[in-house]
Amino acid sequence: MDLDTIREVVVARERGDLVGLGAGCAVLAGGTALYSEPQYSLERLIDITGFGWEPLTDTAEGLEIAATCTLAELAGAAPGCELGSAPRADRPGTALFAAGCRALLASHKIWRTATVGGNICLALPAGGVLAAVTALDAVALIWTPDGRDRRVALRDFVLAPERTVLEPGEILRSVTVPTSSLLARTAFRRISLATTGRSGAVVMGRREPDDRTVLTITAATARPVVLDFPEPPHPETLAAALTTVDPDLWFDDPHGAPDWRAHVTGLLANAVAAELRTEPGERL
């Protein structure tokens, strides 16, 4: 879709080029969401692809994923990998990358254009990439207008649908997935009202080498909900944990009613927990 209100496009190559972010200005990366509907209030775009960030970078903390990393690059778990290829053998947690991208039901054309940062900052309940990096306990690196950096856990990044902790003038630079999550076993379950419909409920789980188990609920709730356990939970423990979810968080839209989402989330969570309780090679 043409954005006929845009009067200027700035290609950012250094942090100083980000000056002016705010009302009437938006960040452009992949642009798949930005160009999908009218943007009547926008007059200026700042293209952050000019920074030339590496999509995926190994660090002392784990794996840093640039905000401009495309879904295709993320799903491959390494630069140059085929779309949705198997996760790296030394990093089984990366299996959730492709699972999260597939939950979006986007075409491969979109996968090659849409970015990790865009999906996270849209803060939609059904954001598959947001779900994956939250489930892997990622931490966001945010650039502030005054040149400082701040870090926020992804589980705290989204406040409500299409609302995040980003303040005016701030941008998401990257997210880092810790090594402990990269080494974790994972499980994934998703359901929607239609075969090719938007996700109604998504549950992702990880079991770390020390047995710590974390289940993350998205799509069914207005923002990601993270449930933490010292070991893979049994049904009674999981049921008790699900009762702590704020009833007002269950999302309501044409893709599912709150009571249905709460019910199917319980089923999916039990399936994920059962898979994580099973040792490799055993049958459920």
Side-chain angles (χ1 to χ4, degrees):
M1 174 177 291
D2 292 336
L3 301 182
D4 55 13
T5 61
I6 301 301
R7 299 291 176 262
E8 182 184 21
V9 177
V10 176
V11 179
R13 304 187 189 283
E14 55 186 38
R15 289 184 72 160
D17 295 330
L18 299 173
V19 173
L21 270 176
C25 181
V27 172
L28 171 66
T32 54
L34 191 64
Y35 283 90
S36 67
E37 58 186 11
Q39 307 287 342
Y40 298 118
S41 64
L42 294 182
E43 297 182 351
R44 187 167 180 263
L45 299 177
I46 296 183
D47 184 348
I48 62 172
T49 60
F51 283 115
W53 296 326
E54 284 295 321
L56 300 157
T57 305
D58 290 321
T59 71
E61 292 76 29
L63 180 67
E64 182 181 38
I65 306 166
T68 50
C69 175
T70 66
L71 271 59
E73 291 165 330
L74 179 72
C81 287
E82 294 298 321
L83 299 185
S85 61
R88 286 171 48 167
D90 61 331
R91 292 180 170 180
T94 61
L96 289 185
F97 292 160
C101 292
R102 292 193 189 99
L104 296 171
L105 298 174
S107 70
H108 283 183
K109 180 179 179 181
I110 297 297
W111 277 34
R112 290 184 172 94
T113 306
T115 62
V116 169
N119 190 262
I120 292 171
C121 293
L122 276 175
L124 297 176
V129 174
L130 169 64
V133 291
T134 301
L136 291 171
D137 208 22
V139 175
L141 171 61
I142 297 169
W143 278 3
T144 68
D146 59 3
R148 293 182 300 108
D149 297 344
R150 69 184 182 104
R151 288 173 170 79
V152 177
L154 257 292
R155 64 171 66 189
D156 301 320
F157 187 83
V158 176
L159 302 176
E162 300 183 75
R163 284 185 55 218
T164 71
V165 298
L166 290 176
E167 299 289 344
E170 293 185 335
I171 71 163
L172 176 65
R173 164 59 180 90
S174 64
V175 297
T176 297
V177 177
T179 300
S180 58
S181 295
L182 296 172
L183 298 177
R185 290 177 52 199
T186 63
F188 169 88
R189 296 291 188 279
R190 169 191 174 274
I191 193 170
S192 63
L193 289 175
T195 303
T196 57
R198 179 176 291 182
S199 298
V202 172
V203 178
M204 298 186 183
R206 75 175 193 274
R207 179 179 176 180
E208 297 180 359
D210 64 357
D211 284 341
R212 179 193 176 201
T213 301
V214 181
L215 270 60
T216 300
I217 301 165
T218 56
T221 48
R223 56 177 174 77
V225 172
V226 180
L227 303 176
D228 215 318
F229 306 91
E231 60 185 5
H234 288 274
E236 301 80 9
T237 303
L238 183 54
L242 287 170
T243 64
T244 66
V245 178
D246 184 346
D248 291 336
L249 283 181
W250 297 109
F251 197 53
D252 187 9
D253 74 353
H255 301 284
D259 58 347
W260 175 78
R261 291 181 192 264
H263 174 70
V264 296
T265 294
L267 300 178
L268 299 181
N270 271 290
V272 165
E275 181 175 337
L276 293 178
R277 284 198 305 272
T278 305
E279 297 300 327
E282 292 182 358
R283 291 187 176 184
L284 290 176

